[in-house]
Amino acid sequence: MERWSSILKIPLNATSSNYYRVAASLCLSEVPSANAIFFHGDRVRDTGNHVIERLYDLEKVAEVVVSKFGNSVNAWVVEASVFNGPFAVYKDFVPSVNRNGQPTSSYSPVDFPASSSIVSLLSTFLQEAESLVLKEGKDVCLMNSLAHCPRTILLGFSKGGVVMNQFLSEMSSFETNSSEEIGIIPSSRESFLNSISQVHYIDVGLNSSGAYITDHSVVQRISQRLAGGGANSVRVFIHGTPRQWRDEQRGWILKEKDELVRLLKSESENSGGKLQVHERFYFADRVPGLQMHFEIIDAMDVSSA
């Protein structure tokens, strides 16, 4: 299958001063089965460790995402637009974060900032990508309307987990709108949220509370929406390593993870089995370290078995 890959620096929208580095590996020869969107974490540089350096590289991560979900997916890897030193700050997606990118309050769905931002960002990227593809002499239209919208797979690595929390909050509060144009990517925040089929937390952790969302009402409302037939099933994957889950100095990470898993399991039956959770622990016999924190990107098991 023919693919087009690149990394672009693009604004969130035409009036924004915030530019995001986004790597993409896109299907050219057929309609994608899904858009897999990976939100990266804090910046690492000059570690001298080739494993860490490779798995921070946005284009390399896009290749890993395609290898995990299959050659029929579009893979997107998003880096935060703002960094305070090494700290990623996803302010457009999660307005409540502080200068180090950590949430200062609960994840509020008001104005749907995460879903609005990603729809705008991907749309801006596709417009520029289509121009570049055509300049390369390839006759393809990435903006075509489709019979149905590809599903969306969300992945948040490390600090990127705060964006997953925001998406869950917004998934719990939107109303489905079925009367809109359908394309390679969703054209509205409602269609984007309705297209989400998987959410992956990948070794997330913060130096403060809020690494995992633990609001029962959020999980309950998602379960009720799924049970009401308003959407397809949603699978939430919780991937972790000793780096985060055995950090005694930040014990809240494990407590929050356990609480989210408990809430998801308790609501799974109420959703008619449409809301499912998969918890996976990697490198359990190894001493916690930064390398395993990145190696989980290669090692993560995304199967539903």
Side-chain angles (χ1 to χ4, degrees):
M1 180 187 297
E2 188 177 11
R3 304 190 69 85
W4 181 85
S5 300
S6 186
I7 182 166
L8 304 178
K9 191 171 184 179
I10 54 173
L12 186 64
N13 52 53
T15 61
S16 176
S17 60
N18 287 344
Y19 280 71
Y20 288 80
R21 288 176 70 238
V22 180
S25 177
L26 308 179
C27 302
L28 293 184
S29 56
E30 66 179 59
V31 175
S33 61
N35 288 295
I37 310 168
F38 184 107
F39 291 84
H40 225 313
D42 291 339
R43 179 179 285 157
V44 294
R45 283 178 171 168
D46 304 322
T47 64
N49 183 310
H50 74 280
V51 174
I52 294 173
E53 301 286 345
R54 179 176 68 84
L55 292 170
Y56 185 78
D57 183 285
L58 304 190
E59 290 183 285
K60 294 292 192 299
V61 173
E63 293 173 5
V64 173
V65 172
V66 172
S67 75
K68 295 292 180 182
F69 295 101
N71 206 35
S72 65
V73 304
N74 282 342
W76 312 80
V77 182
V78 180
E79 183 183 67
S81 64
V82 175
F83 285 85
N84 179 20
F87 300 117
V89 183
Y90 282 102
K91 189 74 174 179
D92 291 318
F93 289 81
V94 191
S96 65
V97 296
N98 62 18
R99 62 191 302 270
N100 291 330
Q102 299 176 155
T104 57
S105 61
S106 60
Y107 294 91
S108 170
V110 173
D111 296 329
F112 297 87
S115 50
S116 297
S117 293
I118 194 61
V119 167
S120 179
L121 190 65
L122 296 189
S123 176
T124 302
F125 188 104
L126 276 185
Q127 290 173 24
E128 186 163 340
E130 184 172 46
S131 175
L132 292 171
V133 170
L134 290 173
K135 285 180 180 178
E136 294 173 11
K138 298 175 180 176
D139 185 19
V140 64
C141 183
L142 295 173
M143 306 295 285
N144 277 341
S145 295
L146 308 174
H148 62 87
C149 187
R151 59 196 172 91
T152 297
I153 300 168
L154 296 172
L155 305 100
F157 168 70
S158 196
K159 179 69 72 57
V162 301
V163 185
M164 300 302 100
N165 292 332
Q166 183 65 36
F167 278 127
L168 287 184
S169 177
E170 295 178 23
M171 287 170 67
S172 75
S173 301
F174 83 100
E175 295 182 4
T176 302
N177 178 9
S178 58
S179 59
E180 61 178 275
E181 184 178 351
I182 299 173
I184 295 294
I185 58 169
S187 59
S188 72
R189 64 196 187 191
E190 291 84 7
S191 61
F192 178 84
L193 292 168
N194 200 49
S195 72
I196 295 170
S197 63
Q198 296 180 29
V199 179
H200 292 258
Y201 286 83
I202 307 170
D203 215 29
V204 307
L206 298 172
N207 293 325
S208 67
S209 61
Y212 294 90
I213 197 164
T214 56
D215 186 337
H216 179 218
S217 65
V218 166
V219 179
Q220 185 178 53
R221 288 196 300 268
I222 293 173
S223 173
Q224 290 170 346
R225 183 173 64 83
L226 293 171
N232 298 319
S233 62
V234 174
R235 299 178 185 272
V236 180
F237 293 76
I238 316 288
H239 309 272
T241 74
R243 162 81 177 184
Q244 304 286 27
W245 293 1
R246 289 181 181 166
D247 188 339
E248 296 180 357
Q249 302 301 314
R250 298 182 297 159
W252 59 82
I253 296 175
L254 180 62
K255 291 179 181 178
E256 289 176 356
K257 182 272 295 183
D258 287 343
E259 178 62 8
L260 177 56
V261 171
R262 186 190 70 80
L263 291 173
L264 289 166
K265 286 181 176 179
S266 70
E267 288 296 335
S268 178
E269 185 174 347
N270 295 335
S271 71
K274 285 189 168 183
L275 179 62
Q276 298 184 21
V277 60
H278 304 270
E279 181 183 6
R280 289 172 183 159
F281 190 42
Y282 305 79
F283 315 127
D285 58 347
R286 285 171 50 182
V287 176
L290 185 61
Q291 180 169 312
M292 70 168 54
H293 180 54
F294 282 84
E295 279 183 300
I296 193 176
I297 297 173
D298 262 340
M300 65 176 175
D301 175 6
V302 301
S303 69
S304 298

